[in-house]
Amino acid sequence: MNARFVTSDVSLMGAVDWDRTLFDALIPLPEGTTYNAYLVRGSEKTVLVDAVDPVKLDVLMAQLDAVDHLDYLVAQHAEQDHSGSIPAVLARYPEAVVVTNAKAKELLQELLDIPADRFRIVADGETLSLGDKTLRFIYLPWVHWPETMGTYLEEEHILFSCDFFGSHRAQSGIFAEKDLVMLGAKRYYAEIMMPFRGFILKNLDKLAGLQIDMICPSHGPVYKDPTYIMDAYRDWAGSPPHNKVVIPFISMHGSTLKMVDHLTASLADRGVEVERFDLTTSDIGSIAMSLVDAATIVIGTPAVLTGPHPKTIEIAYLAGVLRPKTQFVSIIGSYGWGQRIVDVLGGLIAPLKAEVLTPVLAKGDPRAADMEAIDVLAETIVAKHREAGLQ
Ligand code: FEO
């Protein structure tokens, strides 16, 4: 695919990865992804903003056939899906200088062995003249690495935002369509950005003073209307969670499933939205998206030997590191001759800092008393959501 014009002097370079199925060897990519680089041509200087994942280096190199001379390569983020091709670009353009911040320089040298004399360090807010155009560098720490920064093209009011506002969405066109992009954007937020909600809000505030007519992220399509993605980020990161319970569960012989079915019906009867995920088949990206705005998580597990089922350990750990807005957690399930379910899962979900509601564990097949305990749990969840102003 050739470079494509975003405006007359800004081109979208980089590759659409239609076939990638996992990001970070972790999150499924049902819509693929992209690695965007942008070429900005000023009257005196030419700049490449970011590079691409080395798996698509050939695509970037073919696009650069049309570029005789490169003055600067702006490295907004040192992670390899944007930086991994930088050494090859520098080899092709010996005159090019990597423009980045001090922290990114340190990381780029550690990750890619880029020589120290190829860097120019810029401060937060510093500008770089391209002749008739000006780039302003805006540090955006922890969205999602400490060194991440954005780049603002002052004359055209374009923000190159790197991972911030990105989406895992492969498409042939340049620009985002709201109805199509938001699913991939929320999946992206859930995995990459959610642990840094406080920093997201600070960085949104930092950008609030800028006139932004277009956002060019380093993954996914370009936003001609930045409003809805910025509003979505503020909502995902800052609004109270919804009156919703997420139930990731697994059942070996049907006992835990009976309890999950009962809890689902009991919550639904009380007006609580339920999203449940059978961990034998579920896409963990979908679970992460569901966690973005759920007030409560209830994990359903049988005992395997003396502990919870290993697949629930994975999801409890993931919830702990993604740190969603969850306010309440609980555990339900069944066991045969012994269990340490609450001990093990409780430790993994502790980083959520959520209130733990009394777990319900049945010995063997759940009896009437166990189902009554499930109803009590549902009633408690309703009361907690109500106290928190969520229902
Ligand atoms: Fe798209 Fe943090 O790399």
Side-chain angles (χ1 to χ4, degrees):
M1 187 178 272
N2 292 329
R4 293 159 290 164
F5 285 101
V6 177
T7 66
S8 57
D9 293 319
V10 177
S11 304
L12 171 59
M13 318 277 281
V16 180
D17 198 338
W18 300 94
D19 304 316
R20 187 158 180 174
T21 55
L22 276 182
F23 205 74
D24 293 342
L26 176 67
I27 294 286
L29 298 178
E31 299 182 283
T33 193
T34 76
Y35 323 106
N36 302 339
Y38 296 91
L39 191 78
V40 183
R41 290 185 186 274
S43 58
E44 295 174 13
K45 305 286 185 186
T46 300
V47 179
L48 186 67
V49 179
D50 283 334
V52 299
D53 190 300
V55 298
K56 293 292 182 184
L57 174 63
D58 58 332
V59 177
L60 179 64
M61 284 298 174
Q63 293 166 340
L64 287 171
D65 285 345
V67 180
D68 297 332
H69 176 89
L70 188 68
D71 296 284
Y72 302 115
L73 194 161
V74 175
Q76 302 188 112
H77 176 29
E79 193 164 13
Q80 292 93 325
D81 54 323
H82 310 287
S83 68
S85 297
I86 290 176
V89 175
L90 293 182
R92 179 169 181 155
Y93 299 100
E95 73 281 10
V97 171
V98 178
V99 177
T100 194
N101 58 67
K103 182 68 184 169
K105 177 191 172 194
E106 179 189 325
L107 287 166
L108 288 166
Q109 289 191 281
E110 287 168 355
L111 293 168
L112 300 166
D113 282 333
I114 298 173
D117 63 1
R118 298 297 299 266
F119 287 93
R120 170 170 171 173
I121 303 303
V122 288
D124 190 19
E126 189 172 333
T127 58
L128 179 69
S129 175
L130 311 182
D132 61 346
K133 293 182 173 46
T134 312
L135 297 180
R136 191 194 319 172
F137 304 102
I138 303 169
Y139 287 13
L140 300 171
W142 295 109
V143 291
H144 64 120
W145 276 19
E147 89 301 1
T148 313
M149 67 180 196
T151 305
Y152 182 63
L153 178 53
E154 292 188 340
E155 291 75 10
E156 300 194 38
H157 307 134
I158 293 175
L159 176 70
F160 301 97
S161 61
C162 198
D163 281 339
F164 207 19
F165 311 121
S167 66
H168 286 312
R169 177 171 169 75
Q171 63 175 50
S172 57
I174 298 173
F175 297 106
E177 292 179 48
K178 183 179 179 182
D179 293 345
L180 298 178
V181 75
M182 290 310 282
L183 207 58
K186 191 172 187 180
R187 176 177 288 264
Y188 190 84
Y189 167 87
E191 185 217 346
I192 303 288
M193 298 290 167
M194 189 155 64
F196 306 105
R197 287 184 289 116
F199 290 99
I200 285 171
L201 294 172
K202 281 182 191 162
N203 284 315
L204 286 171
D205 288 344
K206 188 171 183 178
L207 295 175
L210 284 181
Q211 179 182 339
I212 300 173
D213 294 342
M214 197 180 292
I215 290 178
C216 292
S218 295
H219 296 286
V222 171
Y223 297 93
K224 263 185 178 171
D225 172 7
T227 314
Y228 64 84
I229 186 66
M230 296 179 84
D231 287 349
Y233 261 64
R234 194 167 282 286
D235 177 40
W236 294 334
S239 295
H242 298 175
N243 178 30
K244 182 169 95 175
V245 175
V246 175
I247 309 178
F249 74 97
I250 200 158
S251 187
M252 288 159 57
H253 301 296
S255 299
T256 300
L257 179 60
K258 285 181 191 171
M259 299 172 79
V260 168
D261 282 343
H262 194 87
L263 179 62
T264 302
S266 195
L267 288 167
D269 288 347
R270 290 168 170 79
V272 180
E273 181 187 355
V274 176
E275 291 186 356
R276 45 186 269 179
F277 298 90
D278 182 337
L279 296 174
T280 59
T281 54
S282 291
D283 152 11
I284 60 170
S286 295
I287 301 174
M289 288 164 64
S290 184
L291 294 180
V292 167
D293 46 24
T296 297
I297 304 171
V298 179
I299 298 175
T301 182
V304 174
L305 300 176
T306 57
H309 193 287
K311 284 191 176 290
T312 63
I313 290 177
E314 179 188 14
I315 213 69
Y317 174 76
L318 189 69
V321 295
L322 292 180
R323 286 182 282 167
K325 293 183 279 193
T326 310
Q327 296 183 357
F328 312 102
V329 292
S330 193
I331 299 163
I332 61 173
S334 93
Y335 65 96
W337 40 265
Q339 50 83 19
R340 291 181 52 247
I341 289 173
V342 174
D343 286 352
V344 175
L345 291 182
L348 294 170
I349 56 181
L352 287 168
K353 297 188 170 62
E355 181 180 347
V356 180
L357 308 180
T358 306
V360 180
L361 296 177
K363 192 165 191 317
D365 198 37
R367 308 302 204 281
D370 300 309
M371 295 313 193
E372 284 168 19
I374 293 271
D375 287 332
V376 170
L377 175 59
E379 196 54 55
T380 304
I381 290 170
V382 169
K384 292 290 181 182
H385 286 197
R386 205 169 278 147
E387 282 169 24
L390 308 176
Q391 192 184 34

